[in-house]
Amino acid sequence: MVTGFLVSRAGVAEAQVTGKEQDKMKTPFVDRSLVLPEMWVTGELDASFTHLDVGFGGAFNSGWIDIGGALGVLDDLEVEATLISLATEDGVGATPLALFDPIDGADWGMTRLGATFRFLADDVVEMGGRFRFLIDNNATIGFNGGLPVLLHAGGVVRLDTGLGFVGRVPTQGADPSFGLVDVNSNPMGPEAGVPLRLAIQAIDELWLGVNTGFGVLDVSDDDTIFMPLGASIGGSIPIDPLLLDITGAFNFPLFVHPTGRDTGERVVSEIWQVGLAAKAHFGLPK
């Protein structure tokens, strides 16, 4: 049954293109490229909920809302921006710049401006360079760089991986720091600096994903090594001229802490997140 499914999906993929040849947004998620096609626009709404169990019946909870978008400027160049970012309610926030800083009521979240340039593209492998400028509600400035890598396999599977890092420059007295982390917007939190995000296309309009990876929140402290664990499900709805994506995700952002802890404390299930993302893609006239 599994073999028949893979053969069927691979047969459909023969009529599809990825990588360099893609000039419009494909409905199957696994066939999409590393950057948006030229003159395509994406509007995005991300909502996240983070829960931290502190024991004895106590817990911190927080919400996060981002509204932003991206534009395919050229065939290999995409720019992105977060226009509105809000951290809500009493609790703690989890971002690549500040892990679990207190939030008192509603506050601004984290502004992001960035660009991705794809320098290698074919039907199997895509690679690029990415840079983002970050600034949060504590006026901490961040520089997020990365080398994203995308692998396609037979119109059935895609693997997003690569290397990401963040340099932090606090403006309120703390010391600068450097982490092997990236930005995850669904749900908001520190992404592993070496991510492994596997997606399988069930049908053209539905995909399933799992994610893990390896990250270090602060490279000067080996007790901050972590491995996340999460799962996601996404659906695509083509409504001409739009393509809509709805994605739900559940994540343990710091699931494994392999160093500096007793064996029984190396799995951290007290911190979990739920995310929901909605994206609208549409092409502009060239």
Side-chain angles (χ1 to χ4, degrees), residues 133-267:
F133 172 80
L134 317 172
I135 184 168
D136 68 7
N137 51 31
N138 293 316
T140 297
I141 297 172
F143 302 97
N144 172 215
L147 293 170
V149 177
L150 171 57
L151 304 176
H152 303 274
V156 182
V157 175
R158 71 179 275 162
L159 176 65
D160 288 89
T161 184
L163 176 68
F165 56 88
V166 169
R168 311 175 188 93
V169 183
T171 61
Q172 299 184 359
D175 294 330
S177 61
F178 183 87
L180 188 65
V181 295
D182 214 321
V183 177
N184 182 21
S185 59
N186 182 33
M188 169 52 64
E191 170 80 298
V194 182
L196 294 172
R197 289 186 167 271
L198 180 70
I200 298 176
Q201 198 76 40
I203 58 175
D204 280 356
E205 296 80 14
L206 179 69
W207 58 272
L208 307 172
V210 293
N211 66 277
T212 184
F214 175 84
V216 186
L217 297 172
D218 186 343
V219 296
S220 66
D221 183 357
D222 61 6
D223 191 27
T224 64
I225 294 173
F226 72 98
M227 298 175 65
L229 180 65
S232 56
I233 181 170
S236 301
I237 308 171
I239 306 175
D240 193 44
L242 299 177
L243 177 61
L244 305 179
D245 288 339
I246 305 294
T247 306
F250 182 85
N251 197 42
F252 293 106
L254 308 175
F255 186 63
V256 176
H257 266 281
T259 61
R261 295 167 180 265
D262 294 335
T263 301
E265 298 178 343
R266 291 178 182 175
V267 174

